[in-house]
Amino acid sequence: MDVPGIVRERLADERRMTSVNVGGDDRVYVTPPKTLVYRAAGLFSSESIEEFPHDVGRFDVSADRREATFAFEYEHGVEAFSAPRERIDTVLPPVLAGVLRTTGLIDEDERIEESYRFGERTLVVTDRRLLTSVGEAVWDREHDSYDYERVTDLRFEEDLRIDVDGRARYIELTGEGRREAYETLEDALCAYHGVASIDQLPDRTPERTTDTAPVESESRTVATDPAGDSSANETTDRDAAGDTAPTTAETPSQTRSPPDESPEPLIPEASESDHTEGEPTHSDEGERTDERRLADEVDVLSERVERQTELLERQTELLERLVEEASTQRVSDDR
């Protein structure tokens, strides 16, 4: 690959690099610590290069009909570069991977399988863990991390259900792409454990797969250190007493490596109710199951009432129209 001299000067001794063409001779070069945007000389412009370090507090992508904007938020402000919208799928994955590695959220050799966007919910599926965050940006330092080593079950019900150490957590996903996100996570989880299906996961028991499993939730109050230390890899499970137990990443080796221009899609929402209520008793489980069943029945009744109300409104409108037509016809007959 022919690298322009102005780019080589910025690369120094860096050898690991992903290069993405963004139109003409313009290219985006992504190394582990930074993204370099090279603009070739044109009729009315000279050759230039911009540098965007990956040690950020926030990273976001937005797009209009023609261009996509990649924004990096630092302590001193926000810096951004633009690329054609159709290049999002190839530019985003290596840049996002660089940001997550630099901020300590994934390991150096960890591979991003896919990334998804559901409104304000971001899901990033790697070969070792699921990362999820909620907010306007594609990514910030507040996040939840679920290491595959601790995942004991995975189900796609009304929401995405993931069992960690036997405790069920529900991640609400809205909009298109939910099934695809689940299948990507399922494949990555099975590959990590070396099994053919979710049913073969280790430590998976019938009690953990029943529909009456207690709903565990966590308070999403994990605020990692702005300096980007290793605490960014941790997710906090809170019990009724408010104690926290950090979850550290365990990273089995993988041999696959991403291509030079990874074709991963732009991230396509979800809010996760996460506050762990401690170890539930059998009585607690029954009460929670009854509460969920009651809530479902209330939702069904509400929908029926709404449909009946709409039907009555239509019938009322029809009667009013018939009365009006009959009155008009009577007036005509009198004439």
Side-chain angles (χ1 to χ4, degrees):
M1 176 174 54
D2 185 17
V3 180
I6 191 175
V7 176
R8 286 198 301 269
E9 293 176 1
R10 296 291 187 97
L11 289 176
D13 296 330
E14 183 60 61
R15 294 291 180 265
R16 292 175 299 170
M17 178 178 64
T18 298
S19 175
V20 179
N21 182 281
V22 291
D25 293 328
D26 296 349
R27 300 190 73 87
V28 172
Y29 297 91
V30 183
T31 71
K34 59 192 172 185
T35 292
L36 301 174
V37 180
Y38 170 75
R39 305 292 185 186
L43 185 60
F44 301 104
S45 61
S46 58
E47 186 181 47
S48 66
I49 188 171
E50 294 178 279
E51 182 174 322
F52 302 90
H54 291 159
D55 189 11
V56 298
R58 180 169 166 161
F59 172 68
D60 197 11
V61 179
S62 58
D64 56 25
R65 296 180 60 183
R66 300 182 59 184
E67 285 191 333
T69 300
F70 300 81
F72 302 78
E73 183 175 310
Y74 306 99
E75 291 184 1
H76 61 269
V78 178
E79 299 179 13
F81 71 89
S82 297
R85 181 186 178 95
E86 60 269 19
R87 303 306 295 171
I88 289 180
D89 291 354
T90 50
V91 174
L92 176 63
V95 176
L96 180 58
V99 169
L100 295 180
R101 289 191 180 102
T102 301
T103 53
L105 302 185
I106 65 175
D107 298 325
E108 287 295 326
D109 59 343
E110 191 167 347
R111 184 181 63 257
I112 293 181
E113 303 291 354
E114 291 283 6
S115 50
Y116 300 93
R117 183 70 170 167
F118 300 94
E120 291 189 351
R121 164 74 67 179
T122 298
L123 290 183
V124 179
V125 181
T126 80
D127 59 352
R128 301 175 191 180
R129 77 198 79 217
L130 169 67
L131 300 170
T132 176
S133 65
V134 177
E136 295 179 358
V138 166
W139 197 258
D140 58 29
R141 290 181 182 271
E142 184 174 336
H143 69 285
D144 288 325
S145 176
Y146 302 105
D147 299 337
Y148 296 160
E149 183 67 26
R150 300 177 60 223
V151 175
T152 54
D153 198 8
L154 180 69
R155 285 289 179 265
F156 185 75
E157 301 172 351
E158 292 185 2
D159 300 322
L160 177 63
R161 167 183 161 174
I162 182 169
D163 288 14
V164 182
D165 295 331
R167 298 180 181 179
R169 291 163 171 81
Y170 290 84
I171 304 176
E172 182 184 348
L173 305 180
T174 59
E176 298 180 358
R178 296 183 301 163
R179 173 60 65 174
E180 179 185 347
Y182 166 77
E183 291 175 352
T184 300
L185 179 57
E186 180 183 38
D187 291 343
L189 184 60
C190 289
Y192 176 88
H193 286 285
V195 297
S197 70
I198 293 297
D199 294 335
Q200 298 174 353
L201 285 181
D203 300 325
R204 187 171 181 275
T205 62
E207 288 77 8
R208 290 173 180 152
T209 61
T210 59
D211 291 337
T212 59
V215 179
E216 296 284 344
S217 24
E218 313 165 314
S219 291
R220 300 194 70 264
T221 56
V222 181
T224 59
D225 180 64
D229 60 15
S230 61
S231 64
N233 268 330
E234 301 175 353
T235 183
T236 303
D237 294 339
R238 298 185 177 273
D239 58 21
D243 295 333
T244 60
T247 301
T248 57
E250 298 186 11
T251 55
S253 61
Q254 299 288 337
T255 57
R256 292 184 295 172
S257 60
D260 186 45
E261 296 189 7
S262 174
E264 300 180 25
L266 171 65
I267 310 180
E269 163 145 350
S271 54
E272 177 181 2
S273 59
D274 288 341
H275 61 269
T276 303
E277 297 294 340
E279 287 293 338
T281 64
H282 292 294
S283 176
D284 292 336
E285 294 179 13
E287 291 177 0
R288 291 177 184 176
T289 302
D290 292 341
E291 289 175 359
R292 292 188 64 191
R293 185 180 297 111
L294 180 59
D296 291 340
E297 292 176 355
V298 170
D299 290 340
V300 171
L301 290 174
S302 297
E303 292 178 2
R304 290 177 179 175
V305 170
E306 290 178 0
R307 287 198 296 269
Q308 292 292 336
T309 302
E310 292 175 359
L311 181 60
L312 288 173
E313 290 177 352
R314 294 196 200 101
Q315 291 175 343
T316 300
E317 292 176 359
L318 179 60
L319 288 173
E320 291 176 350
R321 190 163 56 251
L322 290 175
V323 170
E324 183 179 353
E325 291 175 356
S327 300
T328 303
Q329 183 65 36
R330 188 179 301 111
V331 171
S332 300
D333 292 343
D334 292 341
R335 293 177 179 174

